[in-house]
Structure formats: structure tokens, C-alpha cells
Amino acid sequence: MIEVRGVRKSFNNNQVLRGVSFEVMEGETLVIIGKSGCGKTVLLKHLIGLIEPDEGDIVVDGIVVNRVKREELLELRKRFGMLFQSAALFDSLSVEENIALPLKEHSSMSKETIARKVKEKLALVGLEKIEHLKPSELSGGMKKRVGLARALVLEPSYLLFDEPTTGVDPIMADRINDLIIDLQNRLKVTAIAVTHDLRSAYKIGTRLALLSEGRIGFIGTLADIKNSKDPAVVEFIRGYG
Amino acid sequence: MRLLQFFFHLGDISIMLKEGLVQFPRALKSFDLTVSQMHAIGYSSLPLIVLTSAFSGMVVTVQTAYQIREYVPLEYLGVGVGKAIMLELGPVITGLMLAGRAGAAMAAEIGSMKVTEQIDALEAFSIDPYRYLFVPRFFASIIMLPVLVIFANSVGILSGVLIANVALDVDIHTFAESLKFFFRYKDLLGGLAKSVFFGGVISTMGCHYGFTTRGGAEGVGKATTGAVVASSVLILVCDYLIGAVVYG
């Protein structure tokens, strides 16, 4: 379980997070929605200690992420898989090397086993025979799917998605949404996604949270958000529609 | 503000060097990363080093002859050229060339990785970026710089011999004898010791400026320029300090 307790964060006097608190239950997909630039990615990066909060705590399985030693933090991160907004594939490595890297670093598997695992994960995201390609040779949608395969390779307990459908066409966005739902059903992992794409949020989310003015203004199920009279929620939904 | 920036750089470099040393035993496990950097820094730089050291050898021969010909016989040209190349020109020209080539490449590559979240991705997969990116580049640089300096010295002296024979009519045997007669191991080893430090400076500055890149393409450009300027200045500072200790 993940708990975020009163997290505050400022960059150069610009207060981005002003006391964010919420919990993520085992096995659910919590989607954090909000306008572009409202601090969603900053919040997501706090969860795996890529950014430290000025105040507040992030607790994962009872471990306070922002207070542990670096070695413990590196160990804790193995429980996470993250899909970055730009996929963040390593330019100098091939698709196969990108996906294999976490395994090479953290396991004693043979080259053959690693190659088999890479094929498996690529098949899971609907890709094949692209192992030898470099990221620069892939389309935006393919990059996202390779990024997803890489996020899955250590078989994490938690999956983090940063704007999973941004930068791809609506058809590919739908395929990525379906893929996330399919993976969620098959692997039963706990997932947190941040997005400003309400259509994607409705499709993949078990619960939705609205980040507004640096705080979680609303958190609830799909039905709750549709029936909400909260002005920030209404404005965001109306603005989208 | 500039003083604050200086301390920021110093603090960051200290953390990177400390992390690099702490992570060294694990870096040995993935020695293939160091080998691929040795190839990029050493083997790929060889044509550039051969070309620049050949011209350095030629110009130092011509100018030494011009400086000494009125009061020292040209039979002693070999010793002047040899010592100038081994003590100073071989290591310093190689260092400055590598700062421009390898140091800039390190800053640009790591800087691009920083602005495209690839460094965050390494962290997210529990891979220490200092161990994965800095340590292999650091060790590859301190291993390959002396090797390149040996090439630079050899090519520089050979081109000096050639130009002395062709343009100044100094016999090859005479040139070699004077070089051999006044040769001291300290001359060669001091130059090689300098190059080890230069390798450390180039990789540390290249990686540091890469890791501290901010913004987009403009930030990468600034990081690359910063790395080359800082490396070049520090190479000359180290050159004086090591020279003063070894030969002072």
C-alpha cells in the first residue's frame, strides 16, 4: 500500500504541491488527473524518491521513502516499474538492451534467459521482432509500448504511468489504454497513473483523484466524479468536454 | 552568486567522486561498460592524436632550431625536441584534444539523457547513474590517456626526426643520439603521471556538467561548453602543479 501524507514541494518559490494526501489500495488503479503543469509528474516522481518533498512523507509498504538510506531506496525501487511520459528509452541501447538492462543489473540470469524474458515482455505489449532496433527507429506508440515492456521486466508490485497516452494518436491511445487494463487484469499489480486525458482516466481508473491548486481536491470512483458538484471537478470535466 | 555556484560545483563533484569510489567494486562486475568507453575514448581518438602530435612534433622541431641555432649546435636538437614533447606537449596537447573530443561527448550525452528523463529512468530501475555512467568513463579515461600520450610522444618525436632531417639537415643518428644521451625516465614518467590526472579531470568535468544540465537543447549546449572550458583550464592548472612537484 502507498500512503502520501501532507506532501509539500516548491521550486524557486513556486509552491507546486501544497499538502497532498491520499492512499493507494492494493490492486487498484488510481488515476491522478489535473491540468497540464499542475504538478502531477512531480507528485509521481515523489513516490519513488526521484524528488524529495520539502514537508510530508511518502510511505510504501510501511517504508518511508523520503527518509530511508540510498541503498534501501534503490532496493525499494525494484518494487516499482515506471513508464515515463517520453518513454525515456536509453538512446544508445537497442530495444532488447533497454528491456534487458534492469535484469542484467539486478539478477544473475543467463543471457539466454534474459533474451527469452525480453521476448515475453515484448509479446505482452504486442510487439515482436524489433529487438535489434534503436529507439530512434521507433514510432511514438512503439516507444511507449517498449517503455511499458521495460517497466514490467522486473515484475514489479507497483506500476507508475506518467501521461501514458500523451503524444500518440487517438487510436494508439486507445490501444495503450486497453493494454494497461489487460496488464492490470493479468498481473494484478497496483497502478498509479497521472494524466490530463480524461478519456484515458475514465477507461483505466478504478478511482480518480483531481490535483488542483497543489492539493487533491477530489478523490473517488468514476461514478463519484461524474456526480460531483465540486466546482474544480465540474470545471475540469466541462473544460475537457 | 558566482562564489555560491563555485561551491555548488565543488560539492557536486565531491559527491560524484565519493559515489564513484564507493561503487567501484560493483563497477568491476560490469567491466564491459569500461571497455566500451576505453574504445570510445582511446581507440576512436587515435587518428586525431596522431595528426595533432605529428604537427606538434614538426613545429617544436622547427622552432627549437630557430631558438637555439645561434648559441647551441643543432646536434643537440634531439634533446630539446624530445624533452619538450615528453614533458609538456605530448600530455598537454593530448589532454586538450581529449577535453574537446571525449569530454564534450560525455557532457552532451549525459546532458541529453538528463533532459529526456533517461537519468531518472536509470534511478527508477535502481541503477545508480554515477556507477553506470561516471565510473566507467572515469576509469577508461585514466587508463587510456597515458596510452594515447605514449602514441603522441612517439609520433611527435618521429615527425620531429623527419623534419629535422629533411628541413634542417640534421642526421637521424645524431638526433637520436642526443635524445638518448640526455633521456631520463623521469621525463617520460612525469608526463605520463600528468596524463593520468588529465584523464580524471576530463571525465569528471564531462560527467559533472552532463549530470547538472538543466533545460533542453540550450542547456545541453551550455553543459558541453562548460565541460570543455573547465577541463581545459584545469588541465593547465594541473600541468603546472604536477610539473612544479615533479620537476621543480
Side-chain angles (χ1 to χ4, degrees):
Chain A
M1 191 170 112
I2 298 175
E3 291 170 72
V4 177
R5 299 173 184 161
V7 167
R8 290 173 185 271
K9 183 70 187 177
S10 300
F11 296 100
N12 301 325
N13 299 326
N14 173 27
Q15 204 169 13
V16 180
L17 304 179
R18 300 162 186 251
V20 173
S21 299
F22 62 89
E23 288 181 0
V24 189
M25 308 300 173
E26 292 291 325
E28 76 166 334
T29 299
L30 177 72
V31 182
I32 299 167
I33 53 174
K35 294 175 199 166
S36 294
C38 72
K40 301 186 295 294
T41 300
V42 169
L43 178 57
L44 199 68
K45 287 184 176 179
H46 272 86
L47 301 182
I48 47 170
L50 292 176
I51 298 176
E52 280 187 32
D54 297 334
E55 276 179 54
D57 287 325
I58 296 103
V59 187
V60 176
D61 298 336
I63 300 167
V64 184
V65 175
N66 48 306
R67 290 175 200 263
V68 291
K69 285 184 184 165
R70 184 158 170 79
E71 297 76 48
E72 289 173 70
L73 179 62
L74 289 174
E75 202 52 42
L76 181 73
R77 283 179 184 156
K78 290 179 192 167
R79 297 182 202 177
F80 286 88
M82 183 164 177
L83 171 62
F84 286 83
Q85 186 171 348
S86 57
L89 300 177
F90 306 118
D91 297 331
S92 56
L93 305 181
S94 67
V95 166
E96 180 173 21
E97 289 166 332
N98 260 282
I99 302 171
L101 186 63
L103 286 177
K104 271 175 73 180
E105 288 289 322
H106 302 304
S107 77
S108 49
M109 288 178 191
S110 66
K111 277 184 183 175
E112 293 73 32
T113 315
I114 290 177
R116 189 168 43 78
K117 285 254 176 199
V118 169
K119 272 194 168 52
E120 267 174 35
K121 299 303 172 198
L122 277 174
L124 209 58
V125 296
L127 292 170
E128 57 180 13
K129 294 178 183 166
I130 59 153
E131 289 91 329
H132 60 285
L133 296 180
K134 285 283 174 83
S136 58
E137 297 171 278
L138 304 177
S139 68
M142 283 165 95
K143 279 183 191 169
K144 291 259 182 189
R145 286 194 282 168
V146 172
L148 192 51
R150 187 179 64 176
L152 294 170
V153 80
L154 287 179
E155 288 165 9
S157 314
Y158 300 102
L159 274 174
L160 307 180
F161 301 105
D162 186 5
E163 303 278 6
T165 53
T166 298
V168 293
D169 62 75
I171 298 165
M172 183 52 71
D174 248 3
R175 286 183 68 182
I176 290 174
N177 288 334
D178 290 339
L179 195 59
I180 291 171
I181 296 165
D182 184 42
L183 290 171
Q184 175 68 12
N185 290 338
R186 276 203 264 177
L187 307 173
K188 306 288 178 207
V189 290
T190 304
I192 300 149
V194 302
T195 184
H196 61 262
D197 179 357
L198 205 54
R199 190 179 142 88
S200 170
Y202 283 159
K203 200 161 182 181
I204 64 175
T206 319
R207 284 194 305 152
L208 276 73
L210 176 70
L211 184 65
S212 170
E213 309 288 326
R215 293 185 185 86
I216 296 291
F218 169 89
I219 190 161
T221 61
L222 197 57
D224 294 338
I225 202 165
K226 282 181 174 166
N227 298 326
S228 173
K229 299 280 183 281
D230 185 313
V233 176
V234 173
E235 188 199 355
F236 187 78
I237 293 174
R238 195 188 299 138
Y240 190 84
Chain B
M1 197 63 190
R2 286 204 172 254
L3 192 69
L4 207 68
Q5 264 189 341
F6 171 75
F7 282 112
F8 162 74
H9 282 295
L10 205 62
D12 209 70
I13 290 165
S14 309
I15 293 168
M16 194 169 79
L17 286 169
K18 189 209 111 195
E19 287 291 326
L21 283 173
V22 170
Q23 299 279 350
F24 177 59
R26 272 209 72 190
L28 283 177
K29 193 184 141 195
S30 46
F31 196 67
D32 55 322
L33 293 173
T34 306
V35 173
S36 84
Q37 286 302 319
M38 283 165 72
H39 183 273
I41 295 163
Y43 180 74
S44 304
S45 304
L46 204 53
L48 177 70
I49 297 304
V50 167
L51 189 70
T52 50
S53 51
F55 281 100
S56 304
M58 287 193 266
V59 74
V60 79
T61 305
V62 170
Q63 290 184 181
T64 305
Y66 169 76
Q67 287 176 72
I68 68 167
R69 70 178 0 139
E70 285 173 17
Y71 46 91
V72 178
L74 284 185
E75 282 76 19
Y76 293 104
L77 187 59
V79 62
V81 170
K83 283 190 188 278
I85 288 175
M86 282 187 283
L87 265 67
E88 187 66 18
L89 283 174
V92 173
I93 299 265
T94 305
L96 293 176
M97 285 295 129
L98 263 285
R101 191 183 179 276
M106 288 177 204
E109 186 184 356
I110 297 174
S112 301
M113 290 179 74
K114 180 78 190 290
V115 300
T116 55
E117 294 186 306
Q118 292 175 54
I119 302 287
D120 278 348
L122 281 175
E123 287 267 10
F125 290 107
S126 305
I127 300 167
D128 190 302
Y130 290 148
R131 178 183 62 76
Y132 188 76
L133 296 170
F134 170 59
V135 175
R137 283 164 176 76
F138 182 78
F139 285 103
S141 298
I142 62 172
I143 293 167
M144 291 318 290
L145 253 285
V147 175
L148 287 172
V149 167
I150 290 171
F151 274 100
N153 288 349
S154 310
V155 173
I157 290 170
L158 283 175
S159 59
V161 172
L162 194 72
I163 213 74
N165 186 251
V166 172
L168 304 164
D169 209 20
V170 176
D171 180 53
I172 292 175
H173 181 72
T174 309
F175 188 101
E177 276 302 309
S178 84
L179 178 68
K180 208 168 101 182
F181 189 74
F182 290 99
F183 174 77
R184 304 285 178 273
Y185 277 107
K186 195 178 170 184
D187 302 343
L188 177 67
L189 296 178
L192 293 180
K194 282 181 183 180
S195 67
V196 173
F197 280 89
F198 296 167
V201 163
I202 292 164
S203 53
T204 304
M205 289 300 117
C207 294
H208 164 68
Y209 277 89
F211 281 123
T212 49
T213 303
R214 282 160 203 260
E218 190 191 3
V220 176
K222 279 183 183 169
T224 309
T225 311
V228 175
V229 171
S231 302
S232 304
V233 170
L234 284 174
I235 282 171
L236 296 174
V237 171
C238 286
D239 184 38
Y240 165 69
L241 293 175
I242 300 166
V245 170
V246 178
Y247 307 113

PDB file of all heavy atoms in Angstrom, chain B residues 134-164:
ATOM      1  N   PHE B 134      29.284   7.401 -14.764  1.00  0.00           N
ATOM      2  CA  PHE B 134      30.525   8.106 -14.409  1.00  0.00           C
ATOM      3  C   PHE B 134      31.716   7.157 -14.227  1.00  0.00           C
ATOM      4  O   PHE B 134      32.782   7.370 -14.807  1.00  0.00           O
ATOM      5  CB  PHE B 134      30.303   8.956 -13.146  1.00  0.00           C
ATOM      6  CG  PHE B 134      31.571   9.514 -12.565  1.00  0.00           C
ATOM      7  CD1 PHE B 134      32.387  10.344 -13.318  1.00  0.00           C
ATOM      8  CD2 PHE B 134      31.973   9.188 -11.275  1.00  0.00           C
ATOM      9  CE1 PHE B 134      33.575  10.853 -12.789  1.00  0.00           C
ATOM     10  CE2 PHE B 134      33.155   9.691 -10.745  1.00  0.00           C
ATOM     11  CZ  PHE B 134      33.959  10.521 -11.508  1.00  0.00           C
ATOM     12  N   VAL B 135      31.534   6.106 -13.421  1.00  0.00           N
ATOM     13  CA  VAL B 135      32.671   5.229 -13.069  1.00  0.00           C
ATOM     14  C   VAL B 135      33.344   4.627 -14.321  1.00  0.00           C
ATOM     15  O   VAL B 135      34.580   4.702 -14.450  1.00  0.00           O
ATOM     16  CB  VAL B 135      32.234   4.147 -12.048  1.00  0.00           C
ATOM     17  CG1 VAL B 135      33.358   3.176 -11.761  1.00  0.00           C
ATOM     18  CG2 VAL B 135      31.792   4.804 -10.749  1.00  0.00           C
ATOM     19  N   PRO B 136      32.595   4.062 -15.278  1.00  0.00           N
ATOM     20  CA  PRO B 136      33.283   3.517 -16.465  1.00  0.00           C
ATOM     21  C   PRO B 136      34.046   4.581 -17.251  1.00  0.00           C
ATOM     22  O   PRO B 136      35.151   4.323 -17.736  1.00  0.00           O
ATOM     23  CB  PRO B 136      32.136   2.957 -17.329  1.00  0.00           C
ATOM     24  CG  PRO B 136      30.995   2.778 -16.400  1.00  0.00           C
ATOM     25  CD  PRO B 136      31.136   3.827 -15.355  1.00  0.00           C
ATOM     26  N   ARG B 137      33.459   5.789 -17.363  1.00  0.00           N
ATOM     27  CA  ARG B 137      34.134   6.861 -18.104  1.00  0.00           C
ATOM     28  C   ARG B 137      35.396   7.320 -17.370  1.00  0.00           C
ATOM     29  O   ARG B 137      36.410   7.628 -17.990  1.00  0.00           O
ATOM     30  CB  ARG B 137      33.169   8.045 -18.309  1.00  0.00           C
ATOM     31  CG  ARG B 137      32.166   7.774 -19.422  1.00  0.00           C
ATOM     32  CD  ARG B 137      30.987   8.727 -19.389  1.00  0.00           C
ATOM     33  NE  ARG B 137      30.092   8.496 -20.513  1.00  0.00           N
ATOM     34  CZ  ARG B 137      29.237   7.487 -20.607  1.00  0.00           C
ATOM     35  NH1 ARG B 137      29.144   6.615 -19.640  1.00  0.00           N
ATOM     36  NH2 ARG B 137      28.466   7.337 -21.673  1.00  0.00           N
ATOM     37  N   PHE B 138      35.317   7.370 -16.036  1.00  0.00           N
ATOM     38  CA  PHE B 138      36.463   7.804 -15.230  1.00  0.00           C
ATOM     39  C   PHE B 138      37.631   6.829 -15.401  1.00  0.00           C
ATOM     40  O   PHE B 138      38.753   7.235 -15.723  1.00  0.00           O
ATOM     41  CB  PHE B 138      36.041   7.901 -13.752  1.00  0.00           C
ATOM     42  CG  PHE B 138      37.124   8.378 -12.838  1.00  0.00           C
ATOM     43  CD1 PHE B 138      37.447   9.722 -12.771  1.00  0.00           C
ATOM     44  CD2 PHE B 138      37.827   7.487 -12.044  1.00  0.00           C
ATOM     45  CE1 PHE B 138      38.454  10.171 -11.923  1.00  0.00           C
ATOM     46  CE2 PHE B 138      38.834   7.926 -11.195  1.00  0.00           C
ATOM     47  CZ  PHE B 138      39.149   9.272 -11.140  1.00  0.00           C
ATOM     48  N   PHE B 139      37.364   5.547 -15.211  1.00  0.00           N
ATOM     49  CA  PHE B 139      38.454   4.568 -15.296  1.00  0.00           C
ATOM     50  C   PHE B 139      38.971   4.426 -16.726  1.00  0.00           C
ATOM     51  O   PHE B 139      40.176   4.284 -16.941  1.00  0.00           O
ATOM     52  CB  PHE B 139      38.047   3.232 -14.682  1.00  0.00           C
ATOM     53  CG  PHE B 139      38.047   3.301 -13.189  1.00  0.00           C
ATOM     54  CD1 PHE B 139      36.868   3.406 -12.476  1.00  0.00           C
ATOM     55  CD2 PHE B 139      39.239   3.337 -12.481  1.00  0.00           C
ATOM     56  CE1 PHE B 139      36.868   3.528 -11.093  1.00  0.00           C
ATOM     57  CE2 PHE B 139      39.263   3.460 -11.100  1.00  0.00           C
ATOM     58  CZ  PHE B 139      38.070   3.555 -10.408  1.00  0.00           C
ATOM     59  N   ALA B 140      38.063   4.484 -17.699  1.00  0.00           N
ATOM     60  CA  ALA B 140      38.506   4.408 -19.099  1.00  0.00           C
ATOM     61  C   ALA B 140      39.426   5.585 -19.416  1.00  0.00           C
ATOM     62  O   ALA B 140      40.439   5.418 -20.100  1.00  0.00           O
ATOM     63  CB  ALA B 140      37.299   4.413 -20.027  1.00  0.00           C
ATOM     64  N   SER B 141      39.096   6.757 -18.885  1.00  0.00           N
ATOM     65  CA  SER B 141      39.915   7.947 -19.179  1.00  0.00           C
ATOM     66  C   SER B 141      41.288   7.860 -18.538  1.00  0.00           C
ATOM     67  O   SER B 141      42.295   8.159 -19.190  1.00  0.00           O
ATOM     68  CB  SER B 141      39.222   9.216 -18.668  1.00  0.00           C
ATOM     69  OG  SER B 141      38.002   9.387 -19.312  1.00  0.00           O
ATOM     70  N   ILE B 142      41.342   7.445 -17.268  1.00  0.00           N
ATOM     71  CA  ILE B 142      42.669   7.424 -16.626  1.00  0.00           C
ATOM     72  C   ILE B 142      43.532   6.270 -17.148  1.00  0.00           C
ATOM     73  O   ILE B 142      44.745   6.303 -17.023  1.00  0.00           O
ATOM     74  CB  ILE B 142      42.598   7.427 -15.072  1.00  0.00           C
ATOM     75  CG1 ILE B 142      41.902   6.192 -14.529  1.00  0.00           C
ATOM     76  CG2 ILE B 142      41.939   8.681 -14.546  1.00  0.00           C
ATOM     77  CD1 ILE B 142      42.006   6.077 -13.007  1.00  0.00           C
ATOM     78  N   ILE B 143      42.907   5.279 -17.758  1.00  0.00           N
ATOM     79  CA  ILE B 143      43.703   4.192 -18.375  1.00  0.00           C
ATOM     80  C   ILE B 143      44.163   4.619 -19.775  1.00  0.00           C
ATOM     81  O   ILE B 143      45.306   4.429 -20.164  1.00  0.00           O
ATOM     82  CB  ILE B 143      42.882   2.877 -18.459  1.00  0.00           C
ATOM     83  CG1 ILE B 143      42.597   2.335 -17.053  1.00  0.00           C
ATOM     84  CG2 ILE B 143      43.611   1.822 -19.297  1.00  0.00           C
ATOM     85  CD1 ILE B 143      41.546   1.219 -17.009  1.00  0.00           C
ATOM     86  N   MET B 144      43.252   5.223 -20.550  1.00  0.00           N
ATOM     87  CA  MET B 144      43.552   5.480 -21.957  1.00  0.00           C
ATOM     88  C   MET B 144      44.401   6.733 -22.206  1.00  0.00           C
ATOM     89  O   MET B 144      45.118   6.785 -23.198  1.00  0.00           O
ATOM     90  CB  MET B 144      42.248   5.573 -22.781  1.00  0.00           C
ATOM     91  CG  MET B 144      41.512   4.262 -22.935  1.00  0.00           C
ATOM     92  SD  MET B 144      42.542   2.817 -23.268  1.00  0.00           S
ATOM     93  CE  MET B 144      43.101   3.133 -24.932  1.00  0.00           C
ATOM     94  N   LEU B 145      44.300   7.728 -21.317  1.00  0.00           N
ATOM     95  CA  LEU B 145      45.099   8.941 -21.552  1.00  0.00           C
ATOM     96  C   LEU B 145      46.600   8.637 -21.624  1.00  0.00           C
ATOM     97  O   LEU B 145      47.264   9.051 -22.581  1.00  0.00           O
ATOM     98  CB  LEU B 145      44.780   9.979 -20.471  1.00  0.00           C
ATOM     99  CG  LEU B 145      43.934  11.198 -20.871  1.00  0.00           C
ATOM    100  CD1 LEU B 145      44.731  12.213 -21.673  1.00  0.00           C
ATOM    101  CD2 LEU B 145      42.688  10.793 -21.600  1.00  0.00           C
ATOM    102  N   PRO B 146      47.173   7.874 -20.650  1.00  0.00           N
ATOM    103  CA  PRO B 146      48.606   7.563 -20.765  1.00  0.00           C
ATOM    104  C   PRO B 146      48.930   6.776 -22.035  1.00  0.00           C
ATOM    105  O   PRO B 146      49.984   6.986 -22.648  1.00  0.00           O
ATOM    106  CB  PRO B 146      48.879   6.709 -19.513  1.00  0.00           C
ATOM    107  CG  PRO B 146      47.801   7.061 -18.559  1.00  0.00           C
ATOM    108  CD  PRO B 146      46.609   7.380 -19.392  1.00  0.00           C
ATOM    109  N   VAL B 147      48.035   5.892 -22.447  1.00  0.00           N
ATOM    110  CA  VAL B 147      48.279   5.113 -23.671  1.00  0.00           C
ATOM    111  C   VAL B 147      48.339   6.062 -24.870  1.00  0.00           C
ATOM    112  O   VAL B 147      49.244   5.978 -25.711  1.00  0.00           O
ATOM    113  CB  VAL B 147      47.155   4.052 -23.876  1.00  0.00           C
ATOM    114  CG1 VAL B 147      47.322   3.328 -25.205  1.00  0.00           C
ATOM    115  CG2 VAL B 147      47.148   3.052 -22.722  1.00  0.00           C
ATOM    116  N   LEU B 148      47.394   7.000 -24.910  1.00  0.00           N
ATOM    117  CA  LEU B 148      47.385   7.960 -26.022  1.00  0.00           C
ATOM    118  C   LEU B 148      48.615   8.865 -25.971  1.00  0.00           C
ATOM    119  O   LEU B 148      49.145   9.247 -27.016  1.00  0.00           O
ATOM    120  CB  LEU B 148      46.107   8.811 -25.976  1.00  0.00           C
ATOM    121  CG  LEU B 148      44.822   8.088 -26.378  1.00  0.00           C
ATOM    122  CD1 LEU B 148      43.599   8.959 -26.107  1.00  0.00           C
ATOM    123  CD2 LEU B 148      44.834   7.675 -27.848  1.00  0.00           C
ATOM    124  N   VAL B 149      49.062   9.190 -24.758  1.00  0.00           N
ATOM    125  CA  VAL B 149      50.253  10.048 -24.631  1.00  0.00           C
ATOM    126  C   VAL B 149      51.491   9.308 -25.153  1.00  0.00           C
ATOM    127  O   VAL B 149      52.350   9.917 -25.794  1.00  0.00           O
ATOM    128  CB  VAL B 149      50.431  10.524 -23.168  1.00  0.00           C
ATOM    129  CG1 VAL B 149      51.803  11.135 -22.939  1.00  0.00           C
ATOM    130  CG2 VAL B 149      49.357  11.545 -22.825  1.00  0.00           C
ATOM    131  N   ILE B 150      51.560   8.011 -24.923  1.00  0.00           N
ATOM    132  CA  ILE B 150      52.692   7.231 -25.461  1.00  0.00           C
ATOM    133  C   ILE B 150      52.684   7.312 -26.992  1.00  0.00           C
ATOM    134  O   ILE B 150      53.717   7.538 -27.627  1.00  0.00           O
ATOM    135  CB  ILE B 150      52.643   5.767 -24.959  1.00  0.00           C
ATOM    136  CG1 ILE B 150      52.955   5.753 -23.455  1.00  0.00           C
ATOM    137  CG2 ILE B 150      53.641   4.883 -25.730  1.00  0.00           C
ATOM    138  CD1 ILE B 150      52.730   4.425 -22.775  1.00  0.00           C
ATOM    139  N   PHE B 151      51.503   7.181 -27.577  1.00  0.00           N
ATOM    140  CA  PHE B 151      51.392   7.327 -29.038  1.00  0.00           C
ATOM    141  C   PHE B 151      51.792   8.739 -29.468  1.00  0.00           C
ATOM    142  O   PHE B 151      52.522   8.925 -30.442  1.00  0.00           O
ATOM    143  CB  PHE B 151      49.946   7.048 -29.494  1.00  0.00           C
ATOM    144  CG  PHE B 151      49.684   5.598 -29.742  1.00  0.00           C
ATOM    145  CD1 PHE B 151      49.047   4.807 -28.802  1.00  0.00           C
ATOM    146  CD2 PHE B 151      50.066   5.010 -30.943  1.00  0.00           C
ATOM    147  CE1 PHE B 151      48.812   3.464 -29.025  1.00  0.00           C
ATOM    148  CE2 PHE B 151      49.831   3.659 -31.184  1.00  0.00           C
ATOM    149  CZ  PHE B 151      49.205   2.888 -30.219  1.00  0.00           C
ATOM    150  N   ALA B 152      51.277   9.745 -28.724  1.00  0.00           N
ATOM    151  CA  ALA B 152      51.548  11.147 -29.076  1.00  0.00           C
ATOM    152  C   ALA B 152      53.049  11.425 -29.006  1.00  0.00           C
ATOM    153  O   ALA B 152      53.608  12.060 -29.910  1.00  0.00           O
ATOM    154  CB  ALA B 152      50.785  12.069 -28.130  1.00  0.00           C
ATOM    155  N   ASN B 153      53.705  10.937 -27.940  1.00  0.00           N
ATOM    156  CA  ASN B 153      55.156  11.140 -27.796  1.00  0.00           C
ATOM    157  C   ASN B 153      55.904  10.494 -28.960  1.00  0.00           C
ATOM    158  O   ASN B 153      56.789  11.103 -29.560  1.00  0.00           O
ATOM    159  CB  ASN B 153      55.656  10.514 -26.486  1.00  0.00           C
ATOM    160  CG  ASN B 153      55.219  11.304 -25.259  1.00  0.00           C
ATOM    161  OD1 ASN B 153      54.723  12.419 -25.393  1.00  0.00           O
ATOM    162  ND2 ASN B 153      55.378  10.724 -24.088  1.00  0.00           N
ATOM    163  N   SER B 154      55.535   9.257 -29.274  1.00  0.00           N
ATOM    164  CA  SER B 154      56.236   8.523 -30.335  1.00  0.00           C
ATOM    165  C   SER B 154      56.067   9.227 -31.676  1.00  0.00           C
ATOM    166  O   SER B 154      57.048   9.469 -32.386  1.00  0.00           O
ATOM    167  CB  SER B 154      55.694   7.090 -30.441  1.00  0.00           C
ATOM    168  OG  SER B 154      55.671   6.509 -29.174  1.00  0.00           O
ATOM    169  N   VAL B 155      54.839   9.562 -32.009  1.00  0.00           N
ATOM    170  CA  VAL B 155      54.583  10.207 -33.304  1.00  0.00           C
ATOM    171  C   VAL B 155      55.237  11.589 -33.342  1.00  0.00           C
ATOM    172  O   VAL B 155      55.834  11.977 -34.361  1.00  0.00           O
ATOM    173  CB  VAL B 155      53.051  10.306 -33.567  1.00  0.00           C
ATOM    174  CG1 VAL B 155      52.763  11.132 -34.813  1.00  0.00           C
ATOM    175  CG2 VAL B 155      52.444   8.921 -33.698  1.00  0.00           C
ATOM    176  N   GLY B 156      55.146  12.322 -32.230  1.00  0.00           N
ATOM    177  CA  GLY B 156      55.741  13.663 -32.167  1.00  0.00           C
ATOM    178  C   GLY B 156      57.239  13.614 -32.398  1.00  0.00           C
ATOM    179  O   GLY B 156      57.775  14.394 -33.193  1.00  0.00           O
ATOM    180  N   ILE B 157      57.907  12.691 -31.722  1.00  0.00           N
ATOM    181  CA  ILE B 157      59.361  12.594 -31.857  1.00  0.00           C
ATOM    182  C   ILE B 157      59.742  12.115 -33.265  1.00  0.00           C
ATOM    183  O   ILE B 157      60.648  12.657 -33.898  1.00  0.00           O
ATOM    184  CB  ILE B 157      59.947  11.677 -30.752  1.00  0.00           C
ATOM    185  CG1 ILE B 157      59.815  12.390 -29.398  1.00  0.00           C
ATOM    186  CG2 ILE B 157      61.406  11.318 -31.033  1.00  0.00           C
ATOM    187  CD1 ILE B 157      60.133  11.533 -28.189  1.00  0.00           C
ATOM    188  N   LEU B 158      58.988  11.143 -33.765  1.00  0.00           N
ATOM    189  CA  LEU B 158      59.289  10.645 -35.123  1.00  0.00           C
ATOM    190  C   LEU B 158      59.120  11.736 -36.174  1.00  0.00           C
ATOM    191  O   LEU B 158      59.942  11.876 -37.080  1.00  0.00           O
ATOM    192  CB  LEU B 158      58.384   9.453 -35.461  1.00  0.00           C
ATOM    193  CG  LEU B 158      58.779   8.130 -34.819  1.00  0.00           C
ATOM    194  CD1 LEU B 158      57.731   7.060 -35.126  1.00  0.00           C
ATOM    195  CD2 LEU B 158      60.149   7.671 -35.324  1.00  0.00           C
ATOM    196  N   SER B 159      58.050  12.518 -36.047  1.00  0.00           N
ATOM    197  CA  SER B 159      57.850  13.595 -37.027  1.00  0.00           C
ATOM    198  C   SER B 159      58.929  14.669 -36.852  1.00  0.00           C
ATOM    199  O   SER B 159      59.346  15.295 -37.831  1.00  0.00           O
ATOM    200  CB  SER B 159      56.454  14.186 -36.913  1.00  0.00           C
ATOM    201  OG  SER B 159      56.262  14.698 -35.625  1.00  0.00           O
ATOM    202  N   GLY B 160      59.395  14.862 -35.581  1.00  0.00           N
ATOM    203  CA  GLY B 160      60.493  15.808 -35.326  1.00  0.00           C
ATOM    204  C   GLY B 160      61.774  15.348 -36.000  1.00  0.00           C
ATOM    205  O   GLY B 160      62.470  16.139 -36.643  1.00  0.00           O
ATOM    206  N   VAL B 161      62.073  14.070 -35.877  1.00  0.00           N
ATOM    207  CA  VAL B 161      63.269  13.489 -36.512  1.00  0.00           C
ATOM    208  C   VAL B 161      63.197  13.726 -38.020  1.00  0.00           C
ATOM    209  O   VAL B 161      64.167  14.161 -38.654  1.00  0.00           O
ATOM    210  CB  VAL B 161      63.361  11.962 -36.227  1.00  0.00           C
ATOM    211  CG1 VAL B 161      64.489  11.325 -37.032  1.00  0.00           C
ATOM    212  CG2 VAL B 161      63.535  11.688 -34.756  1.00  0.00           C
ATOM    213  N   LEU B 162      62.022  13.435 -38.557  1.00  0.00           N
ATOM    214  CA  LEU B 162      61.829  13.545 -40.008  1.00  0.00           C
ATOM    215  C   LEU B 162      62.060  14.969 -40.491  1.00  0.00           C
ATOM    216  O   LEU B 162      62.811  15.217 -41.441  1.00  0.00           O
ATOM    217  CB  LEU B 162      60.401  13.075 -40.342  1.00  0.00           C
ATOM    218  CG  LEU B 162      60.106  12.805 -41.796  1.00  0.00           C
ATOM    219  CD1 LEU B 162      60.812  11.536 -42.246  1.00  0.00           C
ATOM    220  CD2 LEU B 162      58.604  12.679 -42.001  1.00  0.00           C
ATOM    221  N   ILE B 163      61.437  15.932 -39.809  1.00  0.00           N
ATOM    222  CA  ILE B 163      61.543  17.328 -40.256  1.00  0.00           C
ATOM    223  C   ILE B 163      62.953  17.861 -40.015  1.00  0.00           C
ATOM    224  O   ILE B 163      63.467  18.666 -40.798  1.00  0.00           O
ATOM    225  CB  ILE B 163      60.438  18.205 -39.605  1.00  0.00           C
ATOM    226  CG1 ILE B 163      60.002  19.320 -40.558  1.00  0.00           C
ATOM    227  CG2 ILE B 163      60.848  18.806 -38.294  1.00  0.00           C
ATOM    228  CD1 ILE B 163      59.163  18.857 -41.682  1.00  0.00           C
ATOM    229  N   ALA B 164      63.601  17.381 -38.926  1.00  0.00           N
ATOM    230  CA  ALA B 164      64.977  17.815 -38.649  1.00  0.00           C
ATOM    231  C   ALA B 164      65.903  17.339 -39.762  1.00  0.00           C
ATOM    232  O   ALA B 164      66.807  18.062 -40.200  1.00  0.00           O
ATOM    233  CB  ALA B 164      65.437  17.249 -37.305  1.00  0.00           C
TER     234      ALA B 164
END
